[in-house]
Amino acid sequence: MPLPASDPQRVLQHTRAVQVEMYSRADGLWEVDARLRDTKTRKIRGSQGVLPAGEAIHDLVLRLVIDTQFHIHRAGAESLAVPYRGQCDDHGDAYAQLEGLNLMKGFKRAVRERLGGVAGCTHLTELADVLPTAVIQAFAGLVLDTKGEGDQAPFQLDRCHALRRDGEVVRLHYPRWFRQPDANKVSENHAPVTPAASRDAASAARPLSS
């Protein structure tokens, strides 16, 4: 489906930028730095006075130290810019509660349980949601086997629509791991139409009499 047409006279008012960087460490662990910045194209009046256009309303950093099994060893957050200094950032070491979680095992649910609502910062908690797939991208080809040359199938197969095992991408690019579509599996969208169903459809399509 294409994007909705944009208004040729639209004017940029707000930008939210999310950036995730991954660093390998000498001790074999990895650091994940996730940053969220909110800026506006106009000056605004906030709790600390007038904020010039382009200055960050939110500038938040979440850092994890993880291993190659996706376990979180250390975690913390820093608020470089917030609307209410001394209040928005008054959550102590709340994000240290991410320590002990695994990015691939119930991570998002556990984040909400520990840091949802007033327990944390809305934007830092939302920022955590992007981390599992960002880490997978960083590990691809370095930690995770994406070619499937060994005994295990490539990590990414069957994790999205395009990379399903019975799909065209896998048939062309990962033929060793391709499986034929199940001919006996009939989707609801292609179920055979019975005479009764045909009559019902025709009746539904018939215009109402006035």
Side-chain angles (χ1 to χ4, degrees):
M1 181 177 178
L3 292 173
S6 64
D7 184 343
Q9 297 182 334
R10 69 182 188 173
V11 177
L12 179 65
Q13 299 288 347
H14 180 87
T15 298
R16 168 165 292 186
V18 174
Q19 180 175 348
V20 181
E21 296 178 334
M22 291 279 298
Y23 301 87
S24 57
R25 295 170 32 133
D27 60 3
L29 298 176
W30 290 67
E31 290 181 14
V32 188
D33 280 7
R35 188 171 186 172
L36 179 151
R37 297 184 82 249
D38 278 326
T39 56
K40 295 190 181 298
T41 57
R42 66 187 187 279
K43 66 180 181 181
I44 60 172
R45 181 170 297 279
S47 63
Q48 302 168 70
V50 175
L51 191 68
E55 288 289 321
I57 302 168
H58 295 106
D59 192 353
L60 311 169
V61 181
L62 179 61
R63 177 174 295 165
L64 308 181
V65 179
I66 66 173
D67 60 29
T68 56
Q69 301 301 310
F70 299 92
H71 297 299
I72 301 173
H73 291 249
R74 290 185 290 283
E78 184 175 3
S79 300
L80 303 175
V82 289
Y84 306 103
R85 177 64 64 185
Q87 299 296 321
C88 291
D89 49 348
D90 186 26
H91 46 67
D93 294 330
Y95 289 85
Q97 295 181 70
L98 299 179
E99 295 174 7
L101 299 179
N102 186 289
L103 287 166
M104 302 302 292
K105 298 177 181 177
F107 176 71
K108 293 182 181 181
R109 182 186 70 253
V111 169
R112 292 300 184 278
E113 291 173 349
R114 299 181 184 200
L115 296 163
V118 299
C121 164
T122 296
H123 307 300
L124 281 168
T125 300
E126 290 177 347
L127 186 57
D129 282 349
V130 308
L131 297 182
T133 53
V135 171
I136 288 173
Q137 284 294 319
F139 281 177
L142 293 174
V143 174
L144 301 173
D145 176 15
T146 58
K147 295 183 179 180
E149 295 174 347
D151 295 331
Q152 297 293 322
F155 177 86
Q156 67 272 25
L157 299 192
D158 278 339
R159 292 180 182 270
C160 74
H161 173 75
L163 289 169
R164 64 192 187 280
R165 294 275 196 99
D166 61 357
E168 188 69 2
V169 171
V170 175
R171 186 184 71 80
L172 292 174
H173 300 282
Y174 305 94
R176 178 184 173 191
W177 304 102
F178 175 72
R179 63 173 179 236
Q180 292 291 340
D182 186 354
N184 296 320
K185 184 178 180 181
V186 179
S187 69
E188 292 182 2
N189 293 334
H190 297 88
V193 178
T194 64
S198 296
R199 289 193 299 271
D200 292 342
S203 176
R206 189 178 302 123
L208 296 174
S209 59
S210 56

